[in-house]
Amino acid sequence: MSMDFNPQQRAAIEHQARHLLVLAGAGTGKTRTIIGRAAHLIESGTPAERIVIVTFTRRAAHEIRSRLSSTIGAGGARVVAGTFHYLCLRIMRARRRWFGYQDMTIMDRDDQLQLMKLVRGECVGGKSSTKATVPAAAQLLDYYSYARNTNQPASEYLRKFTDFEQSSVELLLDIFNAYKTRKQTNGYLDYDDILHRFAKVLHDDAHVRERVATQYDHVLVDEMQDTNPLQWLILESLAEHCNLFCVGDDAQSIYAFRGADFQNVHSFSDRLPQSEVVKLEQNYRSTQPILELANWVLAQSPLNYDKTLHSERAEGTRPQLVDFDTELDEAQWIVAAIQARKNEGNSWSDHMILCRTAYSARPVEARLIEQKVPYRFVGGIGLLQMAHVKDLLAVLRCAVNHRDELAWMRYLTLWPRIGEVTAARAVERLAREASAAEAAETLKEVFAQRKEVTELPATVLQHLTQPKLALKAAMKALEPVVKTKYERWESRRNDWQLISKLAANHASLQAFLETYTLDPMSATEATAGDNPQEGVVTLITVHSAKGTEAKVCFAAAVQPGNYPHSRSLADPDAIEEERRVLYVALTRACDELFVTRSLSRGYARASWNASTGTHYFLEGLPAGVVDWDAPGFGAAVHVDDDVIG
């Protein structure tokens, strides 16, 4: 193996435990360690195809597979690498009978929303008084999804975490059951179905569990701290016959709102027999002064994280804490500081601005626009979630699964003079046909006078294994219809061109649609792939910032009400997750870190004094850990010689 490793990494890579948790602190080389482990196993005689690496994004899987291949050669490409959803769907498609599925269409969030709206309307009926008390479809989906990912009955979740009366709970359960039935009838799987069905079959059926798990000898898991209870059940089932090598950091567990279970890492050795834990604490990203602040924030927690990061780079400037009267002053200072550095010869891309929420990013984003500073915002709408892109993909989905009611409705209602009632009648007939080819012929019968409507699905069917050609035909046919529907069409056409470019990398329409439905990417991320050196400032929410870094980072709006967020104050567990959010933000910086805050918001000003008993993560910050400055702050604030905050 040509890679060099420090003693901690080497100990993890060569460890002989049945199951191992590698507690990898921020910037300690967790991806490098996973690659090293896979290479070590292959060089020790394990066939590459009997190793599976599970990641949380398609991009991470691609990076690991690429780096592994460059390390050990062609054998690295035979390692199975992908997201939990990818792994489960891969096995389910190969063994449909085991999992009780035939045709499958993967639903994205918008599909789920449309279907939930439909069944909500059917269950509530015309009772306007009842409709007003039933949550909107988006909220219903959140309830339904969270209950499934945390592996609890929807009835139990509603009873524990909502204030609905029993009659309302029963109505919501009726809606959920109707949603489930409609999915099954039409061969739809949403994200949660993939994990839930896979986990349930493995848990309930010892024979299937053994047949699936014995395909592999070793399962390597990236970002273990982000796993939810369903994913834990999958790993627990695989662990009966496979060796687990899980890499994660309990101090970076920040996705409880998605169902991630902090205890999957924090209590790993208690939950899994024959397991051991090793730690990676040597940081290769940040200077030691930056780590001193991050370590201090974590050390104030009542939880025992039991690790302290130390840097190879002992020298460096201390983080700077900068206070302002207003958030507008703060935004102006951040952008001016970046502009000054650019004028000194630094690249725009050397700079990252981290915000607690998209809302708190608005003042900075407005200033970037005013000053014409090139930037990208990460944490926005996914490229494949944009309406004009979903319009384009609808006809492709119809070709892949002719029973896809939602796609047919979207496609047909794009055309002039085809309303929802007409479309719904047509979709009923199309869904009853035995194949996509027969559905295309039926479409010609239903809309005999509308050749422009009927020709495109038939054309797409001819290109099921040529996604780029299918998209070219769809773009040509649909642009005259769609371009009058949206503003700024020239910009939106570029998104279509980008989709076509992405599709060219896939062997079939089905593979393309499944890949990007399971792991949507944003337009800015996709565009950045064309020119990785493109000089733009990154404005990013902390929850989108895992795995990122920049030479100079600005952690903005680090004031009470944001760290911890005001909505977390009633829950001690939520408060501790908020501490970890701040820790993630601080540890993105390589060379310089600026922590900025303003007291313009009423909550922040009321919470400034520690004597109020309000949580604030920078209260009691020792002097010497940061350099403090207040270029725009009034004289009312007093800073103790020994303590800041």
Side-chain angles (χ1 to χ4, degrees), residues 571-602:
D571 182 355
D573 290 340
I575 289 173
E576 285 310 308
E577 176 157 318
E578 291 290 308
R579 187 190 307 276
R580 298 193 291 270
V581 171
L582 179 57
Y583 175 81
V584 168
L586 300 177
T587 53
R588 301 308 95 195
C590 298
D591 301 335
E592 295 180 80
L593 172 63
F594 296 87
V595 180
T596 65
R597 59 189 182 184
S598 75
L599 298 186
S600 59
R601 297 186 187 280

Side-chain angles (χ1 to χ4, degrees), residues 30-211:
K30 69 175 180 62
T31 303
R32 180 184 179 82
T33 303
I34 289 174
I35 293 167
R37 175 66 171 180
H40 171 73
L41 291 172
I42 292 170
E43 291 173 357
S44 300
T46 302
E49 58 272 14
R50 294 190 63 80
I51 299 170
V52 60
I53 301 175
V54 187
T55 66
F56 270 81
T57 66
R58 175 179 39 81
R59 179 174 296 177
H62 175 76
E63 178 192 352
I64 288 174
R65 192 186 297 109
S66 175
R67 288 172 59 181
L68 183 59
S69 295
S70 66
T71 300
I72 64 170
R78 298 201 307 274
V79 171
V80 179
T83 64
F84 271 97
H85 291 89
Y86 167 83
L87 174 66
C88 295
L89 192 59
R90 182 177 189 266
I91 295 171
M92 289 166 70
R93 281 207 177 279
R95 296 289 185 268
R96 297 184 185 210
R97 182 174 53 81
W98 292 355
F99 296 94
Y101 283 115
Q102 294 302 318
D103 293 332
M104 292 187 278
T105 291
I106 309 301
M107 305 171 73
D108 64 14
R109 173 72 181 189
D110 188 65
D111 295 330
Q112 293 172 257
L113 191 60
Q114 295 305 317
L115 189 57
M116 186 63 81
K117 285 179 179 177
L118 180 64
V119 298
R120 177 184 182 273
E122 291 174 350
C123 291
V124 173
K127 302 174 184 176
S128 57
S129 58
T130 303
K131 188 176 291 187
T133 64
V134 176
Q139 184 66 63
L140 290 172
L141 270 180
D142 289 343
Y143 289 157
Y144 182 78
S145 179
Y146 193 91
R148 303 197 78 200
N149 278 286
T150 52
N151 195 36
Q152 57 184 313
S155 56
E156 183 177 328
Y157 170 79
L158 293 171
R159 179 176 54 80
K160 280 184 180 178
F161 299 106
T162 69
D163 298 322
F164 294 114
E165 298 291 336
Q166 183 59 32
S167 59
S168 296
V169 168
E170 290 173 2
L171 176 57
L172 265 56
L173 294 177
D174 287 343
I175 294 172
F176 293 161
N177 287 331
Y179 175 77
K180 177 181 176 181
T181 300
R182 200 63 166 259
K183 284 190 300 178
Q184 292 173 340
T185 301
N186 293 289
Y188 292 141
L189 272 75
D190 62 25
Y191 296 157
D192 304 326
D193 290 326
I194 296 169
L195 297 186
H196 194 274
R197 176 57 63 95
F198 190 83
K200 180 171 176 54
V201 172
L202 260 63
H203 181 270
D204 293 348
D205 191 324
H207 174 70
V208 173
R209 182 165 66 247
E210 181 178 359
R211 292 289 298 275

Side-chain angles (χ1 to χ4, degrees), residues 246-308:
C246 302
V247 182
D249 184 5
D250 48 357
Q252 297 186 72
S253 179
I254 61 173
Y255 296 109
F257 67 94
R258 295 180 187 166
D261 186 354
F262 172 70
Q263 296 301 332
N264 286 355
V265 168
H266 207 63
S267 302
F268 182 89
S269 55
D270 297 327
R271 291 182 172 193
L272 203 60
Q274 297 179 281
S275 64
E276 296 182 22
V277 178
V278 299
K279 291 183 285 188
L280 303 183
E281 299 173 295
Q282 183 69 49
N283 178 282
Y284 293 93
R285 175 186 299 151
S286 308
T287 63
Q288 189 60 38
I290 292 171
L291 295 183
E292 293 295 340
L293 174 58
N295 286 334
W296 179 86
V297 167
L298 213 58
Q300 308 314 300
S301 172
L303 300 177
N304 179 21
Y305 292 98
D306 193 28
K307 61 180 173 296
T308 302

Side-chain angles (χ1 to χ4, degrees), residues 321-324 558-561 597-599 601-616 618-620 628 633 636-640 643-645:
L321 177 65
V322 193
D323 283 332
F324 301 90
V558 185
Q559 62 244 10
R597 59 189 182 184
S598 75
L599 298 186
R601 297 186 187 280
Y603 180 89
R605 190 171 294 280
S607 304
W608 177 257
N609 189 337
S611 65
T612 64
T614 302
H615 293 277
Y616 177 47
L618 296 188
E619 286 174 358
W628 183 82
F633 210 85
V637 172
H638 170 71
V639 179
D640 191 280
V643 175
I644 298 174

Side-chain angles (χ1 to χ4, degrees), residues 409 412-413 415-424:
M409 286 294 293
L412 292 175
T413 55
W415 297 93
R417 304 189 309 281
I418 298 181
E420 291 185 359
V421 174
T422 302

